[in-house]
Structure formats: C-alpha cells, structure tokens
Amino acid sequence: MDARRLDRELIDYLFVLHDHVHGELKSMLRELELTDAQAGALWRLTGEPPMTARRLAEVLNCDASTATSMIDRLERQGLVSREPHPTDRRAKIVRLTLEGCTLRDRVIRHAVERSPFARLDEESRRRLHALLRQASTHDQEAS
C-alpha cells in the first residue's frame, strides 16, 4: 500500500471510530439533556490542571463566548462551578461539582463499555494508546 492510500485509510478509520463512539453516546446524551459540546466539556474537566473558561474553549476548539455560554448552562444545571483563579483575578476556574463528576463518570463508563477498543487485547490497546498519544502530541506541538 502506498503512503498516500495509507494516510487516507488512517483518516477513514478515525471517522469510523468517531462515528461509532458518537453514535453510542448520542442517545445517552439526549436522555441527560446534554449537547455533544457539554459532554466534551465534562469529559475534559478532570481537575488537574485547573481549567479556565478560555483554556476550555481552546481544548474544545470553540470561541470563548461559546464556551462561556456552555459553562453558564452547565452551572445552571449544577454540574460545574466557577471559582476565583488563584493568581489572575480576572479569570475564573471552572470545576465540576459532585453531581458533575458523577455525570461525567457515567458518560465515561458508558463510552468505555461500548468502545470499539474493547475488542482489542490489553497489549494492543497499549500500543494503540502510545501511537495515538504520539500523533496527538505532535499535533499539539505543531500548533
């Protein structure tokens, strides 16, 4: 297989995996009254390092106003709270509440249990993890 075809097929596989994971989560998110973006925010708000709204916007690849609106809604739902930033009085840290942590863990558990990676043995998952980490780290360093 030539390099061009290989690259295309790798991207095709990424789309297939994305569609699979997204499809598995879609009905659960609808039941929880969460958007994809809100679920992504819950997934990424792990606590370390603390995340500001601006950093969350960067991670979710959206603008700050979109992230702020999403955080407002999550806050109204009792899933996140805003706390003063320890060194920047203009910024706020966004943290999951206990209810937010519970919901995030439920979403993660649902995704992991239905993951296409579950079909792989542990060694294969570890190799894939290393490769995906290498690819995604390179992507972050390039930007």
Side-chain angles (χ1 to χ4, degrees), residues 22 25 28-46 56 60 62 66-80 94 96 100-101 103-105 107-108:
H22 186 258
L25 282 175
M28 179 187 205
L29 296 180
R30 199 172 15 254
E31 172 189 319
L32 297 172
E33 298 181 8
L34 289 174
T35 65
D36 292 345
Q38 290 169 330
L42 292 177
W43 191 287
R44 290 170 176 91
L45 286 171
T46 59
L56 183 60
L60 295 175
C62 66
T66 301
T68 298
S69 296
M70 179 178 40
I71 293 165
D72 289 344
R73 182 165 180 219
L74 292 171
E75 191 172 35
R76 283 191 302 273
Q77 292 173 290
L79 301 175
V80 301
V94 181
L96 291 175
C101 288
L103 189 61
R104 179 213 47 212
D105 293 347
V107 170
I108 290 172

Side-chain angles (χ1 to χ4, degrees), residues 28-135:
M28 179 187 205
L29 296 180
R30 199 172 15 254
E31 172 189 319
L32 297 172
E33 298 181 8
L34 289 174
T35 65
D36 292 345
Q38 290 169 330
L42 292 177
W43 191 287
R44 290 170 176 91
L45 286 171
T46 59
E48 294 302 324
M51 197 172 295
T52 62
R54 181 177 305 281
R55 178 65 186 134
L56 183 60
E58 291 170 4
V59 169
L60 295 175
N61 199 25
C62 66
D63 41 78
S65 63
T66 301
T68 298
S69 296
M70 179 178 40
I71 293 165
D72 289 344
R73 182 165 180 219
L74 292 171
E75 191 172 35
R76 283 191 302 273
Q77 292 173 290
L79 301 175
V80 301
S81 64
R82 289 178 169 110
E83 301 172 5
H85 191 284
T87 59
D88 182 353
R89 62 188 182 127
R90 296 168 297 160
K92 299 281 187 194
I93 300 294
V94 181
R95 294 202 192 277
L96 291 175
T97 62
L98 183 57
E99 185 178 348
C101 288
T102 300
L103 189 61
R104 179 213 47 212
D105 293 347
R106 183 175 166 198
V107 170
I108 290 172
R109 191 171 39 256
H110 181 89
V112 168
E113 287 171 357
R114 290 161 178 80
S115 167
F117 305 123
R119 295 186 294 257
L120 301 175
D121 62 49
E122 185 176 352
E123 179 56 32
S124 296
R125 287 194 319 273
R126 288 185 185 280
R127 283 194 323 264
L128 180 58
H129 177 272
L131 291 169
L132 291 173
R133 182 176 182 169
Q134 181 182 1

